[in-house]
Every structure is written in C-alpha cells, then in structure tokens.
Amino acid sequence: MNLGTTPMPRITNKTAKTIGFDLDDTIVNHGPNRQKLIKKMGLPSHDPILKKALYTEMPIASRPPHPNSIETIKRIIQAGHRVIIVSRQKEDGRQLSRQWLAKHLPELDAKNIFFVDSDEAKGVVCKKNKVDIFIDDLVKPLSSIDCQKTICILFNSRAEILDKKILALADWQELEKFFEKQGLI
C-alpha cells in the first residue's frame, strides 16, 4: 500500500448519480444493419418497416454496441452510480432488447430497464427516477425532460439543437471524457 497517495473518495448515496440512457442508436449501434437493410429493402432510413426489421428481426448477435459504450457504462456502475435504460420500443422488440442487455451488461439490474410507448413517457420515467443525466440520440425525447434539473445530452446526432440546455456529444469517447470531467468515472 502506498501511503503517499490520496485514496479515491467513496461514492455514497448522497454523491451517487442516476444516469439514464436510451438504448437504440445510443448504446446499440444499428448503423451497419440499417445500411444493409436500406440496400436490401430499398426503404428510407426512418421508414417504420425498416425500424421494425431492425428492432424485431435482427438477431442480437448482429447488433453491435457503439465503440466504448459498454466499457463506459460498466465503469459508471462500478463507480457506484445507478444506470437506467429508458427506451421507446414496441412490445415485439422488447424481449430481444432485454436479451441484448443481459448479454452485454449483465451487471445492469433488470428493474432499471424501462420500455415506454412514447417519447414523452421517457420524461415521466426520468422524473420518477430522479435522473441526473440522460443521453438520447434524438431531440424529441430530450424535450420531454426538464433540462434545468437533468443534464440532457444529445448523442451522435446531426440535428440542430435549438435548446441551449441540451449538450451535444458526438461519440462515446466524448461521453467518456464528459463523465470523467464530472468525476463520475
């Protein structure tokens, strides 16, 4: 034991944060499969048929996580913070998503996984769970969250941000640096 170093402060319930993540296109990288399906089906990227195929028909083994996402989330959990997943998904895609999460993030407590039917419902879940930080790849769900009380982060999007309370970060490396600057990992 090196007595010359200062020990890391232990996170207590008073300092632990609740960090919420959207799942699809935030943690799960649907980009490669989306491109394959666009070519195969000849549909635009936001077509409901394409989304249904992505979320319900692609096997979990073919759904890669975004680079650094799993490692960063594991570090957040290991640091003593609560991680929740809040994902807008139809009923037919939820079981595959649960399997994906069990495979990639087995340390995530199942009671911290929330599937909702609307973007507005994400805001309700975040408020009920006192989420300190929420990350989503779409602006609309973030607009349902009180970004005065919750740090709202738009992930990996080219959307123009009109709300100055929303922070935009391009990738998981930037997210990891943000979490490090906040002292969360």
Side-chain angles (χ1 to χ4, degrees):
M1 182 172 153
N2 185 346
L3 298 176
T5 61
T6 306
M8 290 293 293
R10 185 180 161 107
I11 293 177
T12 65
N13 286 340
K14 291 181 181 180
T15 59
K17 302 289 183 196
T18 299
I19 303 166
F21 295 93
D22 170 52
L23 181 61
D24 296 302
D25 289 318
T26 301
I27 300 172
V28 178
N29 183 3
H30 287 297
N33 287 330
R34 182 177 287 110
Q35 293 308 314
K36 288 177 193 173
L37 288 174
I38 287 170
K39 286 180 182 178
K40 181 180 175 182
M41 301 171 87
L43 297 171
S45 64
H46 293 292
D47 189 289
I49 295 170
L50 180 76
K51 278 185 115 173
K52 181 175 173 58
L54 270 176
Y55 297 169
T56 64
E57 297 170 18
M58 299 301 289
I60 63 168
S62 72
R63 298 176 183 195
H66 275 285
N68 296 337
S69 62
I70 300 303
E71 299 82 5
T72 301
I73 293 171
K74 286 181 178 191
R75 286 180 64 199
I76 291 167
I77 293 169
Q78 289 169 353
H81 303 289
R82 178 177 178 225
V83 168
I84 70 169
I85 304 297
V86 187
S87 180
R88 179 177 50 90
Q89 285 193 12
K90 297 194 182 293
E91 193 68 40
D92 55 359
R94 294 175 181 182
Q95 188 56 36
L96 280 175
S97 291
R98 285 188 189 285
Q99 290 171 2
W100 191 93
L101 287 164
K103 175 184 176 186
H104 292 280
L105 288 166
E107 50 279 275
L108 183 65
D109 193 330
K111 73 176 191 238
N112 290 329
I113 301 170
F114 301 90
F115 293 110
V116 297
D117 295 321
S118 69
D119 289 328
E120 295 77 20
K122 286 185 175 186
V124 173
V125 171
C126 286
K127 183 176 181 177
K128 183 178 178 182
N129 286 275
K130 297 180 176 131
V131 171
D132 297 293
I133 302 169
F134 188 74
I135 299 98
D136 203 305
D137 66 304
L138 299 172
V139 173
K140 189 175 178 187
L142 294 174
S143 66
S144 71
I145 296 170
D146 182 354
C147 294
Q148 303 267 54
K149 295 180 181 177
T150 299
I151 297 173
C152 297
I153 299 175
L154 180 64
F155 171 75
N156 196 26
S157 176
R158 292 183 177 90
E160 183 179 345
I161 302 172
L162 301 176
D163 188 339
K164 300 297 182 208
K165 294 180 288 274
I166 296 175
L167 175 64
L169 297 175
D171 57 32
W172 274 90
Q173 286 180 320
E174 283 189 11
L175 273 172
E176 186 175 29
K177 287 177 187 172
F178 169 81
F179 291 130
E180 286 171 349
K181 277 187 175 181
Q182 296 294 315
L184 301 173
I185 56 175

